[in-house]
Amino acid sequence: MKPDRSQAVLHLVAEAYIATAKPVPSSWVAARVGMSPATVRNDFARLEADGLLMQPHTSAGRVPTAEGFKAYAEAFLPPEPLSAADLRGISDRLAGLHGSELLERLAVVASNLTGYAVVLDVAADPNLQTLTVHMTPMSERHLMVVAVFENGLTRKRTLDLSPTPGAAVLEDAERTVRDLALPISTMEAALRERAREVGTDLRRTLRALADAWPSLKPMERYSHGMHHLLDEPEADDPNFLRQAARQLDRVATPELAEAHEPLALRFDDHVALVSSRLGWRDCRGLLTLVGPTRMRYPSTFQVAHGVGAGTPLDALSS
């Protein structure tokens, strides 16, 4: 089988399966490539041997494997750019938004454009200023701390601190953070230094806050669009839903927000994930679209790259 015919057969099967979610018979392919069904069945057998197609059950047509979808999808990389009209529409929907509001809307826009679920993992710039912390007793030994940063990002954690400090001590601790007015990268050390200079109760509170500071750094996750996945035929398979939910529920960490490629494709059994560097305004991180392996790859790549990169959107909004 010639390499170009092999690719053509694989692409036909992939596109038909993406459109119908049904195994593709040899007769359907044969009618479109001008060959006999017997010849196409031989092509199917070779593609199966290469791990690119599989037969779900006897007498069924063929569907791509994850490797088959990968080979199909890579033909659309790098993606075609979004049209100027599409970019203008996206830019208009994001105009005037910053911080958490911008990221929430980005997730909604990317999800609605693709019809898949979206997660954004965002790590704050280490030079980002800490504006304040709010400290609220939840019980005799638990303290709720909410840190607020200059671009609107927030971070919330529950601290074990028994007994919890009184209102006056908490006000002093909050005032200390405001007075320091430091970037997130240097706040922990400054809190420990200030703790050496104050009384026992405030010292204990500032040290607890310093201990918790690494987990308070504004690593945020935003998600949207699980309802889109429920509309896919794969939603009848609990394994698909379980794997998709696992991707949406992962704990956001700085490592998750480190994108090493402009656009990446990976698979988790029944789930495909398309990731792009996120670079919109002052937000840096990773945008990931989550869908079935039967994903509409060309348009998904376009949206992931166009929305994630941010640069053309910034240019349109300037």
Side-chain angles (χ1 to χ4, degrees), residues 184-218:
I184 56 175
S185 58
T186 57
M187 182 61 76
E188 179 184 350
L191 287 170
R192 296 190 189 283
E193 181 65 28
R194 184 62 59 87
R196 300 190 184 99
E197 305 168 357
V198 297
T200 302
D201 286 343
L202 182 55
R203 180 187 309 122
R204 184 171 63 94
T205 305
L206 293 180
R207 285 177 175 172
L209 184 57
D211 290 342
W213 194 255
S215 67
L216 280 165
K217 290 180 181 179

Side-chain angles (χ1 to χ4, degrees), residues 166-183:
V169 173
L170 294 180
E171 288 177 6
D172 286 344
E174 293 176 357
R175 187 180 303 108
T176 297
V177 173
R178 289 196 301 271
D179 291 346
L180 287 171
L182 291 171

Side-chain angles (χ1 to χ4, degrees), residues 132-151:
T132 189
V133 295
H134 301 291
M135 309 177 77
T136 306
M138 304 298 291
S139 70
E140 292 184 354
R141 56 171 296 175
H142 292 113
L143 191 67
M144 177 65 70
V145 178
V146 179
V148 182
F149 303 90
E150 67 175 338
N151 67 348

Side-chain angles (χ1 to χ4, degrees), residues 27-308:
S27 58
W28 186 91
V29 175
R32 281 152 182 79
V33 295
M35 299 184 299
S36 70
T39 300
V40 174
R41 284 194 293 272
N42 288 334
D43 293 346
F44 279 2
R46 294 188 183 96
L47 287 165
E48 283 187 82
D50 291 338
L52 301 177
L53 291 182
M54 65 179 180
Q55 189 174 25
H57 50 82
T58 306
S59 300
R62 303 304 192 273
V63 302
T65 62
E67 282 301 312
F69 273 124
K70 183 173 184 290
Y72 165 75
E74 286 178 346
F76 300 96
L77 292 175
E80 293 291 325
L82 288 170
S83 69
D86 286 337
L87 290 172
R88 175 69 65 186
I90 296 169
S91 182
D92 289 346
R93 293 196 62 187
L94 302 175
L97 299 179
H98 300 276
S100 298
E101 288 185 344
L102 170 64
L103 296 169
E104 289 169 358
R105 182 70 61 82
L106 273 173
V108 172
V109 168
S111 177
N112 290 343
L113 283 173
T114 60
Y116 299 125
V118 172
V119 289
L120 302 180
D121 293 308
V122 182
D125 185 331
N127 295 316
L128 190 69
Q129 290 292 115
T130 308
L131 296 183
T132 189
V133 295
H134 301 291
M135 309 177 77
T136 306
M138 304 298 291
S139 70
E140 292 184 354
R141 56 171 296 175
H142 292 113
L143 191 67
M144 177 65 70
V145 178
V146 179
V148 182
F149 303 90
E150 67 175 338
N151 67 348
L153 289 177
T154 62
R155 194 70 165 162
K156 180 170 64 177
R157 284 290 180 270
T158 300
L159 305 186
D160 288 331
L161 187 60
S162 181
T164 53
V169 173
L170 294 180
E171 288 177 6
D172 286 344
E174 293 176 357
R175 187 180 303 108
T176 297
V177 173
R178 289 196 301 271
D179 291 346
L180 287 171
L182 291 171
I184 56 175
S185 58
T186 57
M187 182 61 76
E188 179 184 350
L191 287 170
R192 296 190 189 283
E193 181 65 28
R194 184 62 59 87
R196 300 190 184 99
E197 305 168 357
V198 297
T200 302
D201 286 343
L202 182 55
R203 180 187 309 122
R204 184 171 63 94
T205 305
L206 293 180
R207 285 177 175 172
L209 184 57
D211 290 342
W213 194 255
S215 67
L216 280 165
K217 290 180 181 179
M219 178 65 224
E220 294 291 338
R221 164 161 285 209
Y222 301 81
S223 65
H224 185 82
M226 186 66 184
H227 65 282
H228 289 310
L229 302 186
L230 297 177
D231 295 332
E232 296 286 344
E234 288 83 354
D236 292 334
D237 182 355
N239 290 322
F240 167 72
L241 294 179
R242 186 178 301 112
Q243 289 167 2
R246 180 173 65 195
Q247 294 298 330
L248 295 174
D249 290 344
R250 289 179 305 166
V251 176
T253 66
E255 290 75 18
L256 285 178
E258 290 296 326
H260 300 291
E261 301 175 62
L263 199 63
L265 170 65
R266 56 193 174 90
F267 296 91
D268 181 7
D269 293 335
H270 303 274
V271 174
L273 303 108
V274 173
S275 297
S276 173
R277 291 175 185 166
L278 180 64
W280 223 93
R281 297 178 186 162
D282 55 355
C283 298
R284 296 293 180 269
L286 188 67
L287 179 152
T288 300
L289 288 144
V290 181
T293 55
R294 192 185 53 80
M295 183 181 269
R296 296 174 290 275
Y297 292 100
S299 59
T300 302
F301 286 160
Q302 281 186 293
V303 172
H305 187 260
V307 175

Side-chain angles (χ1 to χ4, degrees), residues 15-30:
E15 288 166 1
Y17 185 60
I18 288 168
T20 67
K22 296 179 180 179
V24 183
S26 57
S27 58
W28 186 91
V29 175

